[in-house]
Amino acid sequence: MTYYRREYVEDGGLMSYSVSYTDLDRRVATYVDKILKGAKPGDLPVEQPTKFELVINLKTAKALGLTIPQSVVLRADEIIQ
């Protein structure tokens, strides 16, 4: 199963493909800084996530008898062994 949060994969899920919440947190901090410096929230642009991450749990894949293609493994941002 593919999840929307990396934490599920860290807890034993097979894989996740989702936005980088670390990156989103940094970007939110930039918005908060601008607002605290006097910017009006309605004047700030709406942004879309730009960084995504693929996390694969190979231990779970092995337990399920699955082989993840090497081309997918090479694209992963993180591999859990």
Side-chain angles (χ1 to χ4, degrees):
M1 172 155 260
T2 302
Y3 296 95
Y4 68 97
R5 300 257 337 189
R6 69 178 293 122
E7 290 82 3
Y8 293 118
V9 179
E10 292 168 353
D11 290 339
L14 181 60
M15 66 176 57
S16 71
Y17 183 70
S18 65
V19 299
S20 169
Y21 288 95
T22 303
D23 184 57
L24 287 181
D25 290 344
R26 286 188 193 118
R27 293 170 66 191
V28 166
T30 302
Y31 269 67
V32 170
D33 181 57
K34 290 178 182 180
I35 292 168
L36 291 175
K37 290 180 178 175
K40 294 180 182 177
D43 293 339
L44 296 175
V46 175
E47 295 184 16
Q48 295 291 322
T50 57
K51 185 172 182 185
F52 295 82
E53 58 186 8
L54 173 63
V55 181
I56 301 172
N57 189 327
L58 291 180
K59 183 178 178 182
T60 299
K62 183 177 179 182
L64 294 171
L66 300 173
T67 301
I68 306 295
Q70 189 65 20
S71 60
V72 175
V73 172
L74 291 173
R75 292 174 187 233
D77 296 292
E78 184 176 343
I79 300 293
I80 298 172
Q81 302 264 353

